[in-house]
Amino acid sequence: MTQDKMRKIITACVVAATTLLVFLLTVLIYQWITIGVYNKRIEKIEAENAELAAQAESGEALADYYEDQGRFWLALEQGWINAEKGE
């Protein structure tokens, strides 16, 4: 093997290794960005879930209140309560 052939082989190996390294680093950076985006989405969804859970808990108290009010108005409509006397 001549000196010129050896130099061409070494140059080709270095180019191939450099190309592979650049490609792998590009994939790695893309994966880091994707993981960051998904983590932000997860945090946002967890915050929304916590907010909805708090609204559901407060909504139960409101539902009880309006259920009582609904029963009162239904009783008035049916004549079970005399509106003039407030019974």
Side-chain angles (χ1 to χ4, degrees):
M1 196 178 273
T2 65
Q3 188 77 7
D4 193 37
K5 276 188 170 181
M6 183 66 82
R7 189 178 312 137
K8 287 181 182 180
I9 291 174
I10 291 174
T11 304
C13 288
V14 168
V15 168
T18 305
T19 305
L20 180 65
L21 182 65
V22 168
F23 177 74
L24 291 176
L25 284 175
T26 304
V27 169
L28 185 63
I29 291 170
Y30 174 77
Q31 290 297 320
W32 283 339
I33 292 171
T34 304
I35 289 171
V37 168
Y38 283 133
N39 284 338
K40 285 184 181 182
R41 286 182 187 172
I42 289 170
E43 290 173 4
K44 181 180 175 185
I45 290 172
E46 287 175 349
E48 288 175 0
N49 284 344
E51 182 180 338
L52 290 174
Q55 285 179 358
E57 288 176 8
S58 68
E60 289 174 2
L62 286 174
D64 291 340
Y65 171 77
Y66 285 117
E67 184 178 336
D68 292 340
Q69 289 295 319
R71 287 183 186 159
F72 174 75
W73 288 108
L74 183 61
L76 279 176
E77 286 178 2
Q78 298 297 319
W80 295 337
I81 297 176
N82 192 351
E84 287 103 28
K85 292 182 181 179
E87 295 176 359

